[in-house]
Amino acid sequence: WVLWLQAQKNPALILINIIALIAAIYHSYTWFGVTPKVFKIQRGETFIRGKYIILAHWMLMISISLGLFILLV
């Protein structure tokens, strides 16, 4: 465990983790942007606007991330 904690302080590993985080956030941004084109929700005769679907996805992702952070930290 101690060796693993020391490895986490390595600047190269920190850089790799930052790059991976940026890539994951960019992937989420692009994926959520495509979602309204694939996932259309009809309410009566009209469809819900895409920006509300995107917002719902971001809110769900933030809620789950925050919940896991609170649970694990």
Side-chain angles (χ1 to χ4, degrees):
W1 176 253
V2 174
L3 290 175
W4 183 80
L5 288 176
Q6 289 174 348
Q8 296 302 309
K9 295 177 184 177
N10 185 343
L13 191 58
I14 292 172
L15 180 63
I16 290 170
N17 285 330
I18 290 171
I19 291 170
L21 178 63
I22 291 169
I25 292 171
Y26 178 72
H27 173 69
S28 296
Y29 173 76
T30 57
W31 183 257
F32 293 164
V34 172
T35 303
K37 295 174 183 158
V38 177
F39 185 61
K40 296 192 181 282
I41 301 174
Q42 189 171 359
R43 193 169 184 198
E45 295 293 321
T46 62
F47 289 94
I48 293 180
R49 291 175 143 181
K51 66 180 181 181
Y52 296 123
I53 296 172
I54 294 171
L55 181 63
H57 278 83
W58 278 111
M59 295 303 291
L60 184 62
M61 187 180 90
I62 290 168
S63 299
I64 291 171
S65 298
L66 186 60
L68 287 172
F69 179 77
I70 291 170
L71 182 68
L72 297 174
V73 173

